[in-house]
Amino acid sequence: MSEPVSYEHDQRIVVITINNPPVNALSRHVRGGLFDAIQQFNADDAADVAVIVGGGRLFIGGADISEFGKPLVSPSLPEVISAIERCEKPVVAAIHGTALGGGLEVAMGAHYRIAQTDTKLGLPEVKLGLLPGAGGTQRLPRLIGVDQALSMISSGAPIVATRALELGLVDRVESGPDIRPAAVAFAQEIQAQGGAIRRTGELPRPEASAELIQQWRTRLEKSARGEVAALSAMASVEAATRMDIGDGLVEERRLFQALMDTPQRASLIHAFFAERRVSKLPELRDIKAQPIAHIGVIGGGTMGAGIATSAVLNGFVVTLVERDQASADKARNTIAGNLAAGIKRGKLNDAQRDQILEHQLSTVSEYEALQDADLIIEAVFESMEVKKAVFEALDRVAKLGAILATNTSYLNIDEIAAMTKRPEAVLGLHFFSPAHVMKLLEVVVADKTSPEVVSTAFSLAKRLGKIAVRSGVCDGFIGNRMLVHYRAAADHMVLDGASPYQIDKALKAYGFAMGPYAVGDLAGLDIGYATRQRKAPDRHPRDRYPAWADELYHLGRLGQKTGKGYYLYPEGSRQGVEDPEVDALIEQTRKSLGIERRTFTDEEIVRRYITAMVNEAARIVDEGIALRPSDIDVVLLSGYGFPRWRGGPMHVADQLGLDTILANIMEFAEEDDHFWQPAPLLKTLVDQKRKFASLDLST
Ligand code: 3HC
Ligand code: NAI
C-alpha cells in the first residue's frame, strides 16, 4: 500500500500528494503525514515552494466522517492547517475534482490556490450537523466576505471553480487535464517573483453590518425547523468579524465540539452512511449493469410525464406512448412545462430545452415505437387488467434483452411479470410524485427478476440522480405499506378525540415536512379511498375504520385539487385552512360509534405515530422486504418527509431504546391489542438487547 502522504521534488518545488482512496479523507494517518511533510518542507533547503495535491479523482473530500464521535488522535486538523499557514515558505493548494469541508479548509490554509475549471468547492458540514471546524468559518469570510461565506456555509452547497475565482476563493483556474503540472508552473512563478507568503488568517477581520447579520439570523431561524447547525455556523462566522484569527479559531472549535456532541450530528451522519450502504446488495457483487440509452415510457399522466422529464433531463432518449395522439400531445405539453419550470430554476437553458424537445423526446400512440428501447417503464392507470394488457403488448414489441418495468404503487408485480415470456426482465420501478423532483426510487425485485436487471436499475437511479432502495414484493412495498400503517394509527387517534389539525401540527413540530392529512390533501382523498376499497375484502372485524374520511370523499372533498379536503383551500391557495365542518363530521362519527372523546398531548401523538411506523418497519425487515433497517430510514427520509436531522424511524428507535418502543406497544395494546401487536423481530432484538443498527452491519 502506498503511503497516505508522499513527498517528492520537482527541481526546487516540492509536491506533497495525498493518497487515501476513495476520497482522500483526512484520516489520522493523512493528518500525521501532512503535518510531517510540512515540517520536512520547512527544513528542506533544496525546496522553495510546496504544492499540495490530491492523488486520484479529487483533492480532498473532507475530514474522515467515520472518526467522528471517537476520541481524537493528534495532530488535529486545525493543528495541521495552522502548520501549513505558519509555514515560512509558500504553499500552493492544487485542487481538482472536489474540495469539501476539511479539504477546502486545507486549501484555505495554504498561501495560494489553483483549481481545475470544473472543480467543486464547498463546506457541507451543516449537512452533517456540524460547522466547518478547521478554520472554515474564520478564513472563508476573510477571503470572500461575510455574505458570500454565510451563503456557502449555511447551505452547504458547493460552488464551481470559475465562481470561486470571481469571489477570490481561488487565485487561478486551469482548464488542462492535469492540475499537477499547472500547479508546479504556478509555484515556479511564485518562486521567480520572490516567494511571497500570503496567510489567509492575517487578512483583516471581515466586516459585516448589524443589519446583514440580523437578516441572516432571521432567514436561518425560519428555515432551520429544529436544526441547530446552520445557526451555530452563523455565530461562528459572526465571531470572525469581532476576533483575530487565534481567538476566532478557539471560538469556532468550541462551537464545533458542542455540535459534535449533539444527537442531530449522529443522526445526520447515520443518514449519510445509510444512503451509501443502500446500494450495496450482496446479490449484486460482480454483476454488471446493462447499458441504457433509450427509455420507453407508457402513460403520460402525472407519473409518466414526470418520469420522462427526469429521463430526458439526464441525457436519455425517451419515447412516450399514450392511448391516442391527443393524450400524447398533452403529455408532451406537460413535459415542456416541467422543462420551462427547470429553466426558471436555472437547471437548464433554452438551447438545452430545444435540444431535448427536438431530438430526445418523441410522444406517440403506437407501441411499435418502443422496439429499440433498452428499458420500458409502464405508468398507466393502477388497474391489474390494464397493466396486464400493457405487458402482453410489450412482450410482443420490446427487443430481446429490454427491461420491462412497472411503476405500480400496490399491485403484485409477480402477477404482472407472468403475462410475459421473460419474467426475469420484469421489475418494479416505483417513482414518487413529482417524479422529476423526488429523490426516492423503490426498485421492486419480483420473484424471477434477474440480478443483471436489478443492477441496471440501481445504475439507472444513479444516472437519474435518485436514491434507489431495494424492496421485495408486498402490498405497498416499503414506503406505502408503512404509510398505510402509520396513517391508520393517526386515524385511530382522530376517532378517539384528536383533530387531524392537531396531529399535523404535532408532527410538523417534530420536524416532518407535512402532517398526514396535509399529505392526504396533496395526493388527493381519492387515493386514500381507493386504497381502503382495495383492502376492503381483507378487512378484519376489529379494524377501526375511518368512515369519516370516506364521507369527505363522497362529499367531493378530494383535497387541494377540489379546493376542499381535510382542509379548505380558499381561492386556489395551497395553504390549508382548518374547517370546523370537518371537526363536526368527525364528532358525529364518534357519537355514532359511542366513542367518548378524549384529549391527546402532542407528545403522545408523536409517540404513537413513530411507534406504529417502527413496528410495521420491523415486520418489513423481518419478512426480507427491506434488506436492512437503515434502508427503511432512507425510504422515509427521501420519500416521506421524515426529518433528516432525526436520522429516520429506525435510528430514532435505536436512540430511544427498542425496549421503550416495545413498552409503548404494550401500553397502547391495553386499549387495542388487534392493531398494536408487537413485531416478532422487535421482541427478539429487545430480548437480545440489540439495536436495529446491529442488522445494518451484518449485510
Ligand atoms: N469521510 C469518510 N468516508 C467518506 C467521506 C468522508 N469525508 N466521504 C466519502 N466517504 C466514503 C463513502 O462513505 C464511500 O464509502 P463506501 O465506498 O465504503 O461506501 C466512499 O467514500 C465513496 O463515497 P461516495 O460514494 O459518496 O463517492 P462520490 O464520488 O459519489 O462522492 C464526495 C464523493 C463528493 C466526496 C462525497 O463522498 C461526499 O460528499 N462526501 C462527504 C463530504 C463531506 O461532507 N465532507 C465534510 C466532512 S466534515 C469536515 O470536513 C469537518 C471539518 O470541517 C473539520
Ligand atoms: P394518471 O391517471 O395521471 O395517468 C395515467 C396515464 O396512462 C393517462 O394519461 C392515460 O391516458 C394513460 N394510459 C392508460 N392506459 C394506457 C394504455 N393502455 N397505453 C398508454 N397509455 C395509457 O395516473 P398516475 O398518477 O400517473 O399513475 C400512473 C401509475 O403510477 C399508477 O400505477 C399509479 O399507481 C402509479 N403511481 C402514482 C403515483 C402518484 O402520486 N400519482 C406515485 C407512484 C406511483
Side-chain angles (χ1 to χ4, degrees):
M1 216 180 85
S2 64
E3 286 293 305
V5 178
S6 66
Y7 185 97
E8 50 187 316
H9 284 94
D10 187 334
Q11 297 175 15
R12 293 193 63 80
I13 308 300
V14 154
V15 179
I16 298 170
T17 309
I18 297 170
N19 282 306
N20 187 23
V23 301
N24 291 333
L26 294 156
S27 321
R28 48 187 283 206
H29 297 297
V30 174
R31 295 197 304 274
L34 199 48
F35 190 81
D36 291 346
I38 290 296
Q39 305 307 337
Q40 189 178 343
F41 168 58
N42 258 330
D44 188 345
D45 291 338
D48 297 329
V49 184
V51 169
I52 302 176
V53 66
R57 61 192 171 95
L58 51 80
F59 179 63
I60 300 172
D64 185 340
I65 299 172
S66 64
E67 288 180 0
F68 291 170
K70 298 177 188 158
L72 178 81
V73 180
S74 68
S76 70
L77 192 54
E79 281 164 350
V80 175
I81 294 173
S82 289
I84 296 171
E85 186 168 70
R86 277 199 316 271
C87 198
E88 297 296 339
K89 294 184 277 184
V91 180
V92 177
I95 315 167
H96 75 296
T98 313
L100 293 181
L104 182 54
E105 291 174 301
V106 166
M108 290 191 288
H111 307 131
Y112 298 88
R113 285 158 291 281
I114 176 169
Q116 238 172 4
T117 325
D118 53 358
T119 304
K120 289 192 172 138
L121 305 100
L123 292 173
E125 284 86 344
V126 292
K127 295 185 182 170
L128 301 173
L130 288 168
L131 55 78
T137 65
Q138 307 302 299
R139 292 191 179 95
L140 188 63
R142 280 178 162 80
L143 285 168
I144 68 172
V146 169
D147 194 34
Q148 295 295 343
L150 278 172
S151 163
M152 278 180 75
I153 291 172
S154 66
S155 69
I159 57 172
V160 289
T162 40
R163 176 73 181 138
L165 183 68
E166 283 167 16
L167 292 175
L169 176 54
V170 298
D171 304 297
R172 188 172 288 190
V173 166
E174 177 60 40
S175 60
D178 190 359
I179 193 66
R180 180 176 160 155
V184 169
F186 186 33
Q188 281 162 344
E189 272 178 51
I190 294 165
Q191 177 196 33
Q193 285 163 13
I197 289 171
R198 300 185 318 173
R199 296 192 176 100
T200 310
E202 289 176 359
L203 289 170
R205 286 181 209 163
E207 287 176 11
S209 65
E211 287 87 346
L212 179 75
I213 296 289
Q214 189 50 46
Q215 272 168 15
W216 270 103
R217 186 169 293 120
T218 310
R219 193 182 309 171
L220 294 177
E221 274 169 357
K222 206 166 154 215
S223 60
R225 297 179 35 84
E227 264 190 270
V228 293
L231 277 159
S232 181
M234 197 205 102
S236 194
V237 171
E238 194 266 334
T241 66
R242 291 183 281 109
M243 296 179 186
D244 286 339
I245 188 80
D247 290 341
L249 289 175
V250 171
E251 176 63 359
E252 177 191 81
R253 202 63 188 166
R254 185 183 72 77
L255 292 165
F256 177 79
Q257 284 303 344
L259 289 178
M260 189 61 97
D261 294 337
T262 59
Q264 293 196 7
R265 190 272 305 159
S267 301
L268 286 160
I269 285 174
H270 165 80
F272 177 86
F273 284 118
E275 281 172 358
R276 275 149 188 85
R277 198 179 296 125
V278 74
S279 60
K280 295 194 172 71
L281 306 189
E283 75 224 51
L284 296 190
R285 227 169 269 140
D286 307 323
I287 303 281
K288 285 220 162 54
Q290 294 172 211
I292 302 286
H294 182 179
I295 295 181
V297 177
I298 307 189
T302 310
M303 294 309 290
I307 294 167
T309 307
S310 170
V312 289
L313 278 173
N314 289 288
F316 293 95
V317 170
V318 172
T319 302
L320 185 145
V321 179
E322 255 292 349
R323 288 184 291 182
D324 47 51
Q325 196 51 47
S327 310
D329 293 344
K330 193 171 160 216
R332 173 172 280 269
N333 282 340
T334 313
I335 297 165
N338 291 342
L339 296 178
I343 292 174
K344 265 199 196 146
R345 288 200 309 275
K347 296 255 180 226
L348 74 165
N349 58 36
D350 290 357
Q352 287 164 318
R353 187 251 335 262
D354 295 346
Q355 148 75 22
I356 287 174
L357 292 176
E358 279 162 35
H359 302 292
Q360 274 175 253
L361 176 69
S362 49
T363 40
V364 298
S365 61
E366 308 83 32
Y367 277 49
E368 284 66 32
L370 296 171
Q371 56 196 12
D372 292 330
D374 305 306
L375 163 75
I376 301 169
I377 306 168
E378 163 279 309
V380 303
F381 302 132
E382 184 75 347
S383 140
M384 187 53 105
E385 246 169 79
V386 179
K387 299 221 191 248
K388 280 184 172 175
V390 167
F391 272 76
E392 261 182 327
L394 282 184
D395 202 24
R396 281 196 300 275
V397 298
K399 70 179 180 189
L400 207 69
I403 295 176
L404 310 181
T406 170
N407 185 48
T408 179
S409 303
Y410 292 96
L411 299 174
N412 185 325
I413 299 174
D414 293 325
E415 248 181 80
I416 296 175
M419 298 313 291
T420 72
K421 291 185 212 68
R422 45 174 131 180
E424 70 287 348
V426 178
L427 86 168
L429 286 180
H430 186 217
F431 290 80
F432 288 74
S433 179
H436 57 297
V437 176
M438 293 291 287
K439 284 262 171 224
L440 180 61
L441 176 66
E442 284 181 327
V443 173
V444 189
V445 181
D447 239 8
K448 300 208 167 118
T449 313
S450 78
E452 286 75 18
V453 167
V454 180
S455 173
T456 308
F458 271 79
S459 136
L460 170 80
K462 202 161 187 185
R463 285 176 66 192
L464 294 177
K466 302 209 181 288
I467 300 178
V469 181
R470 182 202 187 283
S471 170
V473 174
C474 67
D475 195 302
F477 317 125
I478 298 175
N480 281 348
R481 173 167 161 186
M482 285 177 67
L483 169 72
V484 165
H485 196 73
Y486 61 75
R487 168 65 199 255
D491 287 344
H492 295 175
M493 288 189 270
V494 170
L495 275 180
D496 288 333
S499 88
Y501 311 122
Q502 186 198 358
I503 290 179
D504 276 2
K505 270 188 234 147
L507 291 163
K508 261 191 97 167
Y510 180 79
F512 278 94
M514 291 168 104
Y517 297 100
V519 169
D521 274 354
L522 189 64
L525 271 68
D526 43 332
I527 304 252
Y529 180 76
T531 305
R532 288 190 293 276
Q533 289 296 308
R534 194 170 43 77
K535 285 176 163 279
D538 306 327
R539 201 177 303 151
H540 189 279
R542 289 193 60 199
D543 284 351
R544 305 187 66 200
Y545 192 76
W548 59 276
D550 282 5
E551 266 182 67
L552 290 177
Y553 166 81
H554 290 304
L555 288 169
R557 300 181 63 134
L558 301 189
Q560 287 199 17
K561 59 187 164 193
T562 56
K564 269 183 183 185
Y566 298 111
Y567 292 82
L568 298 172
Y569 299 88
E571 286 145 32
S573 147
R574 292 170 62 85
Q575 190 60 45
V577 176
E578 297 181 16
D579 183 358
E581 270 184 38
V582 171
D583 280 326
L585 193 143
I586 296 168
E587 187 53 27
Q588 253 177 13
T589 310
R590 289 186 196 116
K591 283 215 172 90
S592 68
L593 293 170
I595 296 170
E596 200 163 314
R597 186 171 188 179
R598 74 158 173 106
T599 55
F600 285 82
T601 62
D602 290 356
E603 184 273 334
E604 184 178 354
I605 288 171
V606 171
R607 199 154 62 91
R608 283 177 177 264
Y609 198 72
I610 300 288
T611 302
M613 213 178 255
V614 171
N615 200 24
E616 188 63 12
R619 291 189 194 103
I620 290 173
V621 172
D622 207 12
E623 291 167 23
I625 299 294
L627 199 58
R628 43 174 101 80
S630 65
D631 287 10
I632 302 259
D633 286 339
V634 174
V635 168
L636 270 288
L637 294 177
S638 51
Y640 292 81
F642 198 100
R644 189 176 172 86
W645 55 271
R646 292 196 187 265
M650 307 311 254
H651 180 72
V652 166
D654 273 351
Q655 284 191 321
L656 288 172
L658 298 191
D659 50 348
T660 305
I661 299 285
L662 186 59
N664 286 342
I665 295 172
M666 301 323 285
E667 176 195 329
F668 305 148
E670 281 171 25
E671 293 161 10
D672 179 359
D673 61 2
H674 170 64
F675 182 78
W676 292 105
Q677 297 182 36
L681 176 67
L682 190 60
K683 285 196 341 206
T684 308
L685 290 175
V686 170
D687 284 347
Q688 298 175 350
K689 297 192 170 24
R690 287 169 62 191
K691 291 176 178 251
F692 282 129
S694 67
L695 299 172
D696 291 339
L697 300 175
S698 63
T699 34

